[in-house]
Amino acid sequence: MRRRHIKGTGTLAMLLILLLAASLMLLYANRALIFEQRSAANQWRATQAFEAAEAGRNWVIAQLNQRGEIDSACQPVAAAGAAPANNRFRQRYLSVDAATGRISPAVAAAPGCAVTDNDWRCHCPASGNASLSAAADTETPAFSLRLSAGPTPGSLRVDVSGCSHVGVSCGGSAPVDATAQVQFMLAALSALARPPAATLSSGGTLTLQSGVSVANTDPASGGTTVATGGLLQLAPEVHLIGPAGSLGGADSAVSADAQFLDGSGALLPDERLFAQVFALSRNAYRDLPTVQVLSCQSGCSATEVDAAIASGARLIWIDGTLHVSSSPSWGTDAAPLLLIIDGSAQIDGQLQFTGLLHARSLSWNNPSAAAGTLRGAVITTGSLQASGALQLVRDAEVLARLAQAEGAFIPVPGSWRDFVD
């Protein structure tokens, strides 16, 4: 009997050992499972933060290239009345030195967005950080961004912080589980790559009749008032005014200008003449995101242009012809207009224009006693004709503002860097 008791005790001990071993194996397996679950959760949050930063990268490029005004929620709003819009994203956050082209922040602000209800909720503050309070929802990916001056004129540095949920660095105050930073550079593609040296430039015949006054008082530009690749026809009553101390008159006019001609003396093709000014083909320029295209195959009037300006457009492309029979005022010193007519333009009236007007051909006649005015420049690849009370002045500051403050922002290749915490 005693031997049986001992044998039974050994069997029980063996069972306990096996049970303990099985328990240890189960605990080890469970530990590995918990580790994998935590690793997967961390990877998920890190991916959320990185994708939020990438969304911020695309968002800021779109905002900088959009044409209209925005509200504090970064949403498009209609401009009030016919006055030019002055509250675009780039105007709110960027300052451009028209003389040097250097871009710097206009205010110390960090706009941002957060995901909510399968959509983005954004805040574009006048200053300070975006407020993206997410209440009790802690699984809300978000991003915020800061803009700073780039190393060269026309460049802009963007730093985007992406977070797994609203918190520190991303529009909130709570700690975040994962963050990601994306840095990259943007370059401003100038809306006016090569401003014209003359007040009026024409690839074809340039005809000025009685009442027209053309001035270029900027000695740095050479003081040329009119330049043409074709014939120059001037009525005796036309006034050509050059820089102080210059003779002006016919001495400020250039006909058969070499810039419009090829080596044989023939007029350059229209596409070449266009690229000389804008450094892009017509199709490429027309497709820029900052260009407002108006379909005018049946002809447009001042009404369509007024509406585009009121919506915030600074670069307007007219597909077709333009006929203005009223006396609108287009462009200001602070917001000059670049108007490209991919066809002929007929202006009958005292238009007040500040900016650059480019057309295949132009006829501007003002029968009124009150003068029509231009401050900027006019370019045609074909003929240009003007008559009546017109005061046309080349304005170097207006052209520089168009060249530096307008255009599209494009990513700089090789400038992209990312960091994930």
Side-chain angles (χ1 to χ4, degrees):
M1 294 295 294
R2 189 167 181 172
R3 291 180 179 175
R4 293 179 187 168
H5 176 73
I6 294 174
K7 184 178 181 181
T9 302
T11 303
L12 180 60
M14 183 62 68
L15 290 174
L16 289 175
I17 293 172
L18 291 175
L19 180 61
L20 178 60
S23 298
L24 291 175
M25 292 177 63
L26 181 62
L27 289 174
Y28 181 82
N30 187 60
R31 178 179 177 274
L33 178 61
I34 292 174
F35 176 80
E36 292 295 336
Q37 287 177 331
R38 289 179 177 175
S39 296
N42 291 338
Q43 182 64 32
W44 167 249
R45 293 187 179 96
T47 301
Q48 283 183 312
F50 181 76
E51 292 299 330
E54 278 288 276
R57 174 184 181 273
N58 296 330
W59 181 83
V60 69
I61 295 174
Q63 288 292 329
L64 287 169
N65 287 330
Q66 62 88 21
R67 298 183 293 268
E69 288 187 309
I70 58 171
D71 58 18
S72 61
C74 313
Q75 294 296 312
V77 295
N86 291 306
N87 199 22
R88 294 180 297 168
F89 186 92
R90 66 168 64 185
Q91 289 176 316
R92 181 178 296 192
Y93 295 116
L94 297 182
S95 175
V96 181
D97 188 324
T100 65
R102 186 163 292 278
I103 304 172
S104 58
V107 295
C113 301
V115 175
T116 177
D117 298 329
N118 298 319
D119 200 357
W120 288 95
R121 181 184 69 255
C122 302
H123 183 210
C124 288
S127 62
N129 296 328
S131 179
L132 302 172
S133 176
D137 181 12
T138 59
E139 297 296 331
T140 302
F143 67 79
S144 66
L145 59 94
R146 290 193 178 276
L147 308 174
S148 57
T152 59
S155 65
L156 177 69
R157 173 178 167 173
V158 183
D159 291 86
V160 184
S161 295
C163 301
S164 57
H165 60 269
V166 173
V168 177
S169 300
C170 292
S173 57
V176 295
D177 294 321
T179 62
Q181 284 75 44
V182 171
Q183 299 176 357
F184 60 97
M185 303 289 295
L186 295 175
L189 180 64
S190 176
L192 183 57
R194 301 183 183 93
T199 310
L200 305 181
S201 302
S202 171
T205 300
L206 197 157
T207 304
L208 301 181
Q209 299 175 356
S210 177
V212 178
S213 172
V214 184
N216 181 0
T217 59
D218 177 24
S221 70
T224 303
T225 55
V226 295
T228 176
L231 296 175
L232 178 61
Q233 300 175 342
L234 302 176
E237 298 83 0
V238 171
H239 298 282
L240 302 180
I241 304 169
S246 68
L247 295 176
D251 288 336
S252 68
V254 180
S255 59
D257 194 335
Q259 67 174 313
F260 301 105
L261 308 175
D262 62 18
S264 65
L267 181 67
L268 290 171
D270 175 271
E271 192 71 21
R272 287 276 302 278
L273 293 175
F274 184 90
Q276 280 185 351
V277 179
F278 300 106
L280 292 173
S281 67
R282 284 186 178 270
N283 288 340
Y285 196 92
R286 181 185 183 277
D287 290 339
L288 290 178
T290 49
V291 175
Q292 175 71 56
V293 179
L294 303 181
S295 180
C296 301
Q297 298 304 316
S298 299
C300 278
S301 66
T303 302
E304 289 82 0
V305 178
D306 283 337
I309 294 173
S311 72
R314 295 288 181 279
L315 312 180
I316 300 177
W317 180 286
I318 292 181
D319 251 344
T321 61
L322 174 68
H323 185 197
V324 178
S325 55
S326 56
S327 301
S329 180
W330 293 341
T332 65
D333 286 347
L337 177 67
L338 200 161
L339 179 62
I340 299 176
I341 302 102
D342 195 13
S344 62
Q346 174 72 43
I347 302 173
D348 298 311
Q350 57 194 66
L351 168 68
Q352 313 296 314
F353 190 94
T354 302
L356 178 75
L357 193 157
H358 189 285
R360 289 184 182 270
S361 64
L362 170 67
S363 178
W364 187 353
N365 306 295
N366 180 27
S368 172
T373 64
L374 165 87
R375 291 183 53 244
V378 174
I379 305 174
T380 63
T381 56
S383 62
L384 191 161
Q385 180 271 330
S387 64
L390 298 176
Q391 297 176 359
L392 314 176
V393 179
R394 185 185 186 276
D395 192 312
E397 291 185 1
V398 166
L399 297 177
R401 190 167 291 110
L402 275 176
Q404 304 294 355
E406 299 298 337
F409 282 92
I410 56 177
V412 176
S415 67
W416 186 89
R417 300 175 64 194
D418 68 89
F419 310 88
V420 179
D421 296 332

PDB file of all heavy atoms in Angstrom, residues 53-75:
ATOM      1  N   ALA A  53       0.332  64.261 -42.413  1.00  0.00           N
ATOM      2  CA  ALA A  53       1.342  65.217 -42.872  1.00  0.00           C
ATOM      3  C   ALA A  53       1.365  65.310 -44.395  1.00  0.00           C
ATOM      4  O   ALA A  53       1.495  66.398 -44.964  1.00  0.00           O
ATOM      5  CB  ALA A  53       2.719  64.809 -42.339  1.00  0.00           C
ATOM      6  N   GLU A  54       1.238  64.167 -45.068  1.00  0.00           N
ATOM      7  CA  GLU A  54       1.187  64.176 -46.535  1.00  0.00           C
ATOM      8  C   GLU A  54      -0.050  64.926 -47.037  1.00  0.00           C
ATOM      9  O   GLU A  54       0.008  65.656 -48.025  1.00  0.00           O
ATOM     10  CB  GLU A  54       1.170  62.740 -47.052  1.00  0.00           C
ATOM     11  CG  GLU A  54       2.528  62.088 -47.122  1.00  0.00           C
ATOM     12  CD  GLU A  54       3.364  62.672 -48.254  1.00  0.00           C
ATOM     13  OE1 GLU A  54       3.226  62.234 -49.394  1.00  0.00           O
ATOM     14  OE2 GLU A  54       4.148  63.594 -47.971  1.00  0.00           O
ATOM     15  N   ALA A  55      -1.183  64.737 -46.334  1.00  0.00           N
ATOM     16  CA  ALA A  55      -2.396  65.481 -46.705  1.00  0.00           C
ATOM     17  C   ALA A  55      -2.163  66.975 -46.541  1.00  0.00           C
ATOM     18  O   ALA A  55      -2.611  67.784 -47.368  1.00  0.00           O
ATOM     19  CB  ALA A  55      -3.572  65.017 -45.850  1.00  0.00           C
ATOM     20  N   GLY A  56      -1.444  67.361 -45.487  1.00  0.00           N
ATOM     21  CA  GLY A  56      -1.128  68.775 -45.286  1.00  0.00           C
ATOM     22  C   GLY A  56      -0.266  69.334 -46.394  1.00  0.00           C
ATOM     23  O   GLY A  56      -0.431  70.489 -46.808  1.00  0.00           O
ATOM     24  N   ARG A  57       0.657  68.512 -46.885  1.00  0.00           N
ATOM     25  CA  ARG A  57       1.500  68.950 -48.007  1.00  0.00           C
ATOM     26  C   ARG A  57       0.651  69.275 -49.229  1.00  0.00           C
ATOM     27  O   ARG A  57       0.807  70.337 -49.858  1.00  0.00           O
ATOM     28  CB  ARG A  57       2.511  67.854 -48.340  1.00  0.00           C
ATOM     29  CG  ARG A  57       3.358  68.101 -49.573  1.00  0.00           C
ATOM     30  CD  ARG A  57       4.249  66.899 -49.858  1.00  0.00           C
ATOM     31  NE  ARG A  57       5.077  67.129 -51.013  1.00  0.00           N
ATOM     32  CZ  ARG A  57       4.711  66.875 -52.267  1.00  0.00           C
ATOM     33  NH1 ARG A  57       3.502  66.396 -52.510  1.00  0.00           N
ATOM     34  NH2 ARG A  57       5.537  67.106 -53.266  1.00  0.00           N
ATOM     35  N   ASN A  58      -0.245  68.382 -49.585  1.00  0.00           N
ATOM     36  CA  ASN A  58      -1.088  68.612 -50.760  1.00  0.00           C
ATOM     37  C   ASN A  58      -2.060  69.772 -50.527  1.00  0.00           C
ATOM     38  O   ASN A  58      -2.358  70.541 -51.445  1.00  0.00           O
ATOM     39  CB  ASN A  58      -1.867  67.337 -51.096  1.00  0.00           C
ATOM     40  CG  ASN A  58      -0.960  66.197 -51.496  1.00  0.00           C
ATOM     41  OD1 ASN A  58       0.123  66.418 -52.044  1.00  0.00           O
ATOM     42  ND2 ASN A  58      -1.370  64.970 -51.210  1.00  0.00           N
ATOM     43  N   TRP A  59      -2.545  69.893 -49.289  1.00  0.00           N
ATOM     44  CA  TRP A  59      -3.523  70.926 -48.968  1.00  0.00           C
ATOM     45  C   TRP A  59      -2.922  72.317 -49.108  1.00  0.00           C
ATOM     46  O   TRP A  59      -3.532  73.218 -49.686  1.00  0.00           O
ATOM     47  CB  TRP A  59      -4.038  70.702 -47.550  1.00  0.00           C
ATOM     48  CG  TRP A  59      -5.083  71.678 -47.096  1.00  0.00           C
ATOM     49  CD1 TRP A  59      -6.421  71.640 -47.344  1.00  0.00           C
ATOM     50  CD2 TRP A  59      -4.873  72.848 -46.270  1.00  0.00           C
ATOM     51  NE1 TRP A  59      -7.061  72.694 -46.737  1.00  0.00           N
ATOM     52  CE2 TRP A  59      -6.139  73.448 -46.073  1.00  0.00           C
ATOM     53  CE3 TRP A  59      -3.749  73.415 -45.684  1.00  0.00           C
ATOM     54  CZ2 TRP A  59      -6.297  74.612 -45.311  1.00  0.00           C
ATOM     55  CZ3 TRP A  59      -3.898  74.578 -44.933  1.00  0.00           C
ATOM     56  CH2 TRP A  59      -5.158  75.156 -44.755  1.00  0.00           C
ATOM     57  N   VAL A  60      -1.703  72.526 -48.590  1.00  0.00           N
ATOM     58  CA  VAL A  60      -1.130  73.864 -48.632  1.00  0.00           C
ATOM     59  C   VAL A  60      -0.787  74.277 -50.064  1.00  0.00           C
ATOM     60  O   VAL A  60      -0.942  75.448 -50.438  1.00  0.00           O
ATOM     61  CB  VAL A  60       0.119  73.957 -47.715  1.00  0.00           C
ATOM     62  CG1 VAL A  60       1.281  73.149 -48.259  1.00  0.00           C
ATOM     63  CG2 VAL A  60       0.527  75.413 -47.529  1.00  0.00           C
ATOM     64  N   ILE A  61      -0.369  73.330 -50.903  1.00  0.00           N
ATOM     65  CA  ILE A  61      -0.103  73.663 -52.307  1.00  0.00           C
ATOM     66  C   ILE A  61      -1.397  74.093 -52.996  1.00  0.00           C
ATOM     67  O   ILE A  61      -1.420  75.082 -53.740  1.00  0.00           O
ATOM     68  CB  ILE A  61       0.540  72.471 -53.041  1.00  0.00           C
ATOM     69  CG1 ILE A  61       1.932  72.171 -52.465  1.00  0.00           C
ATOM     70  CG2 ILE A  61       0.646  72.740 -54.536  1.00  0.00           C
ATOM     71  CD1 ILE A  61       2.575  70.920 -53.024  1.00  0.00           C
ATOM     72  N   ALA A  62      -2.480  73.361 -52.727  1.00  0.00           N
ATOM     73  CA  ALA A  62      -3.772  73.722 -53.324  1.00  0.00           C
ATOM     74  C   ALA A  62      -4.235  75.082 -52.829  1.00  0.00           C
ATOM     75  O   ALA A  62      -4.760  75.899 -53.615  1.00  0.00           O
ATOM     76  CB  ALA A  62      -4.814  72.652 -52.997  1.00  0.00           C
ATOM     77  N   GLN A  63      -4.058  75.366 -51.541  1.00  0.00           N
ATOM     78  CA  GLN A  63      -4.496  76.649 -50.997  1.00  0.00           C
ATOM     79  C   GLN A  63      -3.693  77.805 -51.579  1.00  0.00           C
ATOM     80  O   GLN A  63      -4.248  78.864 -51.903  1.00  0.00           O
ATOM     81  CB  GLN A  63      -4.379  76.646 -49.471  1.00  0.00           C
ATOM     82  CG  GLN A  63      -5.408  75.801 -48.761  1.00  0.00           C
ATOM     83  CD  GLN A  63      -6.807  76.370 -48.881  1.00  0.00           C
ATOM     84  OE1 GLN A  63      -7.005  77.577 -48.972  1.00  0.00           O
ATOM     85  NE2 GLN A  63      -7.792  75.488 -48.898  1.00  0.00           N
ATOM     86  N   LEU A  64      -2.390  77.630 -51.713  1.00  0.00           N
ATOM     87  CA  LEU A  64      -1.565  78.707 -52.267  1.00  0.00           C
ATOM     88  C   LEU A  64      -1.899  78.989 -53.723  1.00  0.00           C
ATOM     89  O   LEU A  64      -1.700  80.105 -54.206  1.00  0.00           O
ATOM     90  CB  LEU A  64      -0.082  78.337 -52.131  1.00  0.00           C
ATOM     91  CG  LEU A  64       0.497  78.417 -50.718  1.00  0.00           C
ATOM     92  CD1 LEU A  64       1.875  77.774 -50.678  1.00  0.00           C
ATOM     93  CD2 LEU A  64       0.573  79.860 -50.240  1.00  0.00           C
ATOM     94  N   ASN A  65      -2.403  77.987 -54.427  1.00  0.00           N
ATOM     95  CA  ASN A  65      -2.706  78.156 -55.851  1.00  0.00           C
ATOM     96  C   ASN A  65      -4.175  78.426 -56.132  1.00  0.00           C
ATOM     97  O   ASN A  65      -4.555  78.554 -57.296  1.00  0.00           O
ATOM     98  CB  ASN A  65      -2.265  76.908 -56.625  1.00  0.00           C
ATOM     99  CG  ASN A  65      -0.757  76.819 -56.751  1.00  0.00           C
ATOM    100  OD1 ASN A  65      -0.060  77.828 -56.791  1.00  0.00           O
ATOM    101  ND2 ASN A  65      -0.233  75.611 -56.797  1.00  0.00           N
ATOM    102  N   GLN A  66      -5.016  78.509 -55.094  1.00  0.00           N
ATOM    103  CA  GLN A  66      -6.427  78.793 -55.349  1.00  0.00           C
ATOM    104  C   GLN A  66      -6.623  80.300 -55.554  1.00  0.00           C
ATOM    105  O   GLN A  66      -5.855  81.120 -55.066  1.00  0.00           O
ATOM    106  CB  GLN A  66      -7.308  78.258 -54.216  1.00  0.00           C
ATOM    107  CG  GLN A  66      -7.064  78.847 -52.857  1.00  0.00           C
ATOM    108  CD  GLN A  66      -7.876  80.098 -52.595  1.00  0.00           C
ATOM    109  OE1 GLN A  66      -8.883  80.333 -53.242  1.00  0.00           O
ATOM    110  NE2 GLN A  66      -7.429  80.905 -51.659  1.00  0.00           N
ATOM    111  N   ARG A  67      -7.667  80.669 -56.283  1.00  0.00           N
ATOM    112  CA  ARG A  67      -7.836  82.039 -56.746  1.00  0.00           C
ATOM    113  C   ARG A  67      -8.715  82.911 -55.857  1.00  0.00           C
ATOM    114  O   ARG A  67      -8.605  84.127 -55.900  1.00  0.00           O
ATOM    115  CB  ARG A  67      -8.429  82.026 -58.155  1.00  0.00           C
ATOM    116  CG  ARG A  67      -7.567  81.351 -59.188  1.00  0.00           C
ATOM    117  CD  ARG A  67      -8.192  81.448 -60.563  1.00  0.00           C
ATOM    118  NE  ARG A  67      -9.425  80.685 -60.664  1.00  0.00           N
ATOM    119  CZ  ARG A  67      -9.496  79.429 -61.067  1.00  0.00           C
ATOM    120  NH1 ARG A  67      -8.386  78.787 -61.385  1.00  0.00           N
ATOM    121  NH2 ARG A  67     -10.644  78.800 -61.154  1.00  0.00           N
ATOM    122  N   GLY A  68      -9.623  82.307 -55.075  1.00  0.00           N
ATOM    123  CA  GLY A  68     -10.618  83.107 -54.383  1.00  0.00           C
ATOM    124  C   GLY A  68     -10.302  83.376 -52.927  1.00  0.00           C
ATOM    125  O   GLY A  68      -9.311  82.904 -52.365  1.00  0.00           O
ATOM    126  N   GLU A  69     -11.163  84.164 -52.318  1.00  0.00           N
ATOM    127  CA  GLU A  69     -11.061  84.464 -50.897  1.00  0.00           C
ATOM    128  C   GLU A  69     -11.445  83.260 -50.054  1.00  0.00           C
ATOM    129  O   GLU A  69     -12.179  82.377 -50.508  1.00  0.00           O
ATOM    130  CB  GLU A  69     -11.976  85.631 -50.540  1.00  0.00           C
ATOM    131  CG  GLU A  69     -11.495  86.979 -51.040  1.00  0.00           C
ATOM    132  CD  GLU A  69     -12.355  88.102 -50.496  1.00  0.00           C
ATOM    133  OE1 GLU A  69     -13.603  88.014 -50.625  1.00  0.00           O
ATOM    134  OE2 GLU A  69     -11.811  89.058 -49.940  1.00  0.00           O
ATOM    135  N   ILE A  70     -10.961  83.260 -48.809  1.00  0.00           N
ATOM    136  CA  ILE A  70     -11.318  82.205 -47.868  1.00  0.00           C
ATOM    137  C   ILE A  70     -11.772  82.836 -46.563  1.00  0.00           C
ATOM    138  O   ILE A  70     -11.457  83.998 -46.270  1.00  0.00           O
ATOM    139  CB  ILE A  70     -10.139  81.250 -47.593  1.00  0.00           C
ATOM    140  CG1 ILE A  70      -8.934  82.032 -47.057  1.00  0.00           C
ATOM    141  CG2 ILE A  70      -9.766  80.467 -48.838  1.00  0.00           C
ATOM    142  CD1 ILE A  70      -7.806  81.167 -46.558  1.00  0.00           C
ATOM    143  N   ASP A  71     -12.521  82.046 -45.766  1.00  0.00           N
ATOM    144  CA  ASP A  71     -12.918  82.509 -44.442  1.00  0.00           C
ATOM    145  C   ASP A  71     -12.025  81.864 -43.387  1.00  0.00           C
ATOM    146  O   ASP A  71     -11.018  81.218 -43.719  1.00  0.00           O
ATOM    147  CB  ASP A  71     -14.400  82.207 -44.184  1.00  0.00           C
ATOM    148  CG  ASP A  71     -14.715  80.716 -44.301  1.00  0.00           C
ATOM    149  OD1 ASP A  71     -13.774  79.893 -44.246  1.00  0.00           O
ATOM    150  OD2 ASP A  71     -15.899  80.374 -44.461  1.00  0.00           O
ATOM    151  N   SER A  72     -12.369  82.019 -42.117  1.00  0.00           N
ATOM    152  CA  SER A  72     -11.523  81.491 -41.048  1.00  0.00           C
ATOM    153  C   SER A  72     -11.488  79.970 -41.033  1.00  0.00           C
ATOM    154  O   SER A  72     -10.585  79.370 -40.448  1.00  0.00           O
ATOM    155  CB  SER A  72     -12.007  82.009 -39.695  1.00  0.00           C
ATOM    156  OG  SER A  72     -13.340  81.592 -39.453  1.00  0.00           O
ATOM    157  N   ALA A  73     -12.488  79.331 -41.688  1.00  0.00           N
ATOM    158  CA  ALA A  73     -12.499  77.872 -41.802  1.00  0.00           C
ATOM    159  C   ALA A  73     -11.822  77.405 -43.084  1.00  0.00           C
ATOM    160  O   ALA A  73     -11.940  76.236 -43.460  1.00  0.00           O
ATOM    161  CB  ALA A  73     -13.927  77.349 -41.745  1.00  0.00           C
ATOM    162  N   CYS A  74     -11.100  78.321 -43.755  1.00  0.00           N
ATOM    163  CA  CYS A  74     -10.364  78.013 -44.993  1.00  0.00           C
ATOM    164  C   CYS A  74     -11.296  77.640 -46.137  1.00  0.00           C
ATOM    165  O   CYS A  74     -10.849  77.013 -47.111  1.00  0.00           O
ATOM    166  CB  CYS A  74      -9.347  76.899 -44.769  1.00  0.00           C
ATOM    167  SG  CYS A  74      -8.317  77.076 -43.303  1.00  0.00           S
ATOM    168  N   GLN A  75     -12.576  77.999 -46.032  1.00  0.00           N
ATOM    169  CA  GLN A  75     -13.540  77.676 -47.073  1.00  0.00           C
ATOM    170  C   GLN A  75     -13.701  78.850 -48.028  1.00  0.00           C
ATOM    171  O   GLN A  75     -13.612  80.013 -47.617  1.00  0.00           O
ATOM    172  CB  GLN A  75     -14.895  77.326 -46.452  1.00  0.00           C
ATOM    173  CG  GLN A  75     -14.889  76.054 -45.623  1.00  0.00           C
ATOM    174  CD  GLN A  75     -14.579  74.840 -46.473  1.00  0.00           C
ATOM    175  OE1 GLN A  75     -15.147  74.642 -47.537  1.00  0.00           O
ATOM    176  NE2 GLN A  75     -13.646  74.013 -45.993  1.00  0.00           N
TER     177      GLN A  75
END
